[in-house]
Amino acid sequence: MSETLPQTPGADDRAAPLAVTMGDACGIGPEIIAMAHRAGELRDCVVYGDAQLLRRVCARLGHRVPVAVLESIQEWREVPPGCLPVWPAVRLPEDLPLGRVDARAGAAAHECIRQAVADALNSRVAGLVTAPIHKEALAAAGVPFPGHTEMLQAYANGEGGSPVRMMLANDQLKTVLVSIHVSLRDAIEAVTVEGVLETLRIAHRSAALWGQPCPRIAVAGLNPHAGEGGLFGDEELRIIAPAIEAARLEGIDARGPFAPDTVFMRARHAPPEHPGEFDLVIAMYHDQGLIPVKYLGVEQGVNVTLGLPFVRTSPDHGTAFDLAGTGRASPASLVAALRMARSLVAGARRAAASAR
């Protein structure tokens, strides 16, 4: 570390930390990280980012806290309570503009993620919680991925490796997407028997991490009224229903396809008045699945990548350039992502222990 810090009693017994990537430095990522730290939510985390930038952000927010620059991830155990441990993954110029697309911020966000994934694969960190990135900034930096999910799949599972899926979740609703960051035209083309079946398999496998080894999975249709028997489109008959039947033959409790304008209401779990009929919903494309969860409250929503060899969560919002530097951003979704990551890491450890 860049300064000598006393050993924390009992620190050697603590598990590997969560890696929190800084996100786009021109957005609210560094601010909500500082706010979450002030609320005591980063007690078991290491931030991957620019230590000097984080110091400036903390000072701007009036959060007077020592920032401990680590020389190895293992040194996080030596950081005393109250300090913010930072792995200096990048160094950015001080004149970086807030609230604007900047290729330097895109490149830095990408590098933080790349290093955090490498450490997760080597078990130096227990999982990832990623602050928001900006897709235009990534593109400006020449990063060949449209978002976190595609980047994580490439770095963690390799080209041609195991597929991943995006889940958006809160306390009331969980949705898993067949396709993610593609045009609506391409999303329709992505609705294939194998694509839907693979989504069902990944969702079923992953549900054990949050304590539902046999989840009730509803599958949304693609067309209005789930095609109305072929009157409004036949994808339900040709593609979605056969995928559901194949999944059921594998022991997956999959049901549908259901009309997409009502299935999310049926799955919403808000006891005692409204116990959900299903534990999660498979949506055919990005907005179909994300609008219902976000409508219930962006502050509680968490983005989870399913199918990775480690846990990864993220807030349910973007870089919020309009709020950057104002101190008005809310850390609530980041806090929800941190708490869900801890819960999923614990679930993964339980699953690994039971498999031995």
Side-chain angles (χ1 to χ4, degrees), residues 293-356:
V293 181
K294 293 191 175 189
Y295 182 77
L296 292 173
V298 172
E299 295 81 7
Q300 291 78 42
V302 177
N303 181 347
V304 184
T305 305
L306 307 181
L308 293 170
F310 51 80
V311 167
R312 178 263 172 168
T313 67
S314 184
D316 172 25
H317 57 70
T319 52
F321 277 175
D322 58 320
L323 295 177
T326 68
R328 294 188 287 112
S330 169
S333 187
L334 175 62
V335 169
L338 289 161
R339 292 177 178 176
M340 182 171 286
R342 293 184 186 105
S343 176
L344 296 179
V345 167
R349 287 174 179 154
R350 287 193 298 270
S354 64
R356 289 197 292 266

Side-chain angles (χ1 to χ4, degrees), residues 66-136:
V67 173
V69 181
L70 306 181
E71 295 177 3
S72 72
I73 297 301
Q74 289 76 13
E75 284 187 340
W76 82 282
R77 295 184 177 89
E78 302 170 22
V79 175
C83 284
L84 178 61
V86 175
W87 174 249
V90 294
R91 185 66 184 271
L92 285 159
E94 293 189 23
D95 64 349
L96 203 67
L98 288 175
R100 285 166 43 192
V101 172
D102 192 292
R104 296 169 295 177
H110 169 252
E111 180 59 19
C112 291
I113 297 162
R114 188 193 66 78
Q115 292 188 31
V117 168
D119 285 342
L121 292 174
N122 286 293
S123 302
R124 286 190 285 266
V125 297
L128 271 64
V129 180
T130 57
I133 56 178
H134 200 286
K135 294 173 178 59
E136 287 185 51

Side-chain angles (χ1 to χ4, degrees), residues 19-32:
V20 179
T21 57
M22 187 176 66
D24 192 298
C26 296
I28 63 170
E31 294 176 50
I32 59 175

Side-chain angles (χ1 to χ4, degrees), residues 103-341:
R104 296 169 295 177
H110 169 252
E111 180 59 19
C112 291
I113 297 162
R114 188 193 66 78
Q115 292 188 31
V117 168
D119 285 342
L121 292 174
N122 286 293
S123 302
R124 286 190 285 266
V125 297
L128 271 64
V129 180
T130 57
I133 56 178
H134 200 286
K135 294 173 178 59
E136 287 185 51
L138 290 180
V143 176
F145 304 106
H148 272 118
T149 306
E150 297 85 354
M151 191 186 308
L152 291 164
Q153 176 172 349
Y155 288 148
N157 295 348
E159 187 174 350
S162 301
V164 301
R165 291 296 187 270
M166 176 178 172
M167 178 176 78
L168 203 66
N170 58 30
D171 289 342
Q172 299 185 52
L173 185 62
K174 294 180 176 69
T175 67
V176 182
L177 310 182
V178 172
S179 66
I180 310 172
H181 299 120
V182 296
S183 72
L184 184 55
R185 189 180 304 278
D186 289 342
I188 293 170
E189 294 299 319
V191 178
T192 63
V193 173
E194 184 55 37
V196 175
L197 179 57
E198 192 64 57
T199 306
L200 283 161
R201 289 169 176 157
I202 292 171
H204 174 80
R205 243 181 355 253
S206 300
L209 299 182
W210 59 84
Q212 292 178 322
C214 300
R216 302 166 299 167
I217 304 176
V219 181
L222 173 67
N223 299 297
H225 300 203
E228 196 74 73
L231 292 175
F232 306 144
D234 65 355
E235 286 85 358
E236 286 77 11
L237 297 174
R238 290 189 300 108
I239 297 169
I240 302 174
I244 293 170
E245 181 59 29
R248 292 183 66 84
L249 291 174
E250 296 179 10
I252 298 171
D253 185 1
R255 314 176 199 181
F258 297 111
D261 59 351
T262 56
V263 67
F264 299 99
M265 291 185 289
R266 293 173 61 185
R268 176 173 167 258
H269 185 64
E273 295 85 3
H274 194 285
E277 294 180 47
F278 311 106
D279 299 310
L280 57 92
V281 180
I282 303 298
M284 292 299 112
Y285 57 92
H286 185 279
D287 286 9
Q288 184 190 61
L290 268 56
I291 288 172
V293 181
K294 293 191 175 189
Y295 182 77
L296 292 173
V298 172
E299 295 81 7
Q300 291 78 42
V302 177
N303 181 347
V304 184
T305 305
L306 307 181
L308 293 170
F310 51 80
V311 167
R312 178 263 172 168
T313 67
S314 184
D316 172 25
H317 57 70
T319 52
F321 277 175
D322 58 320
L323 295 177
T326 68
R328 294 188 287 112
S330 169
S333 187
L334 175 62
V335 169
L338 289 161
R339 292 177 178 176
M340 182 171 286

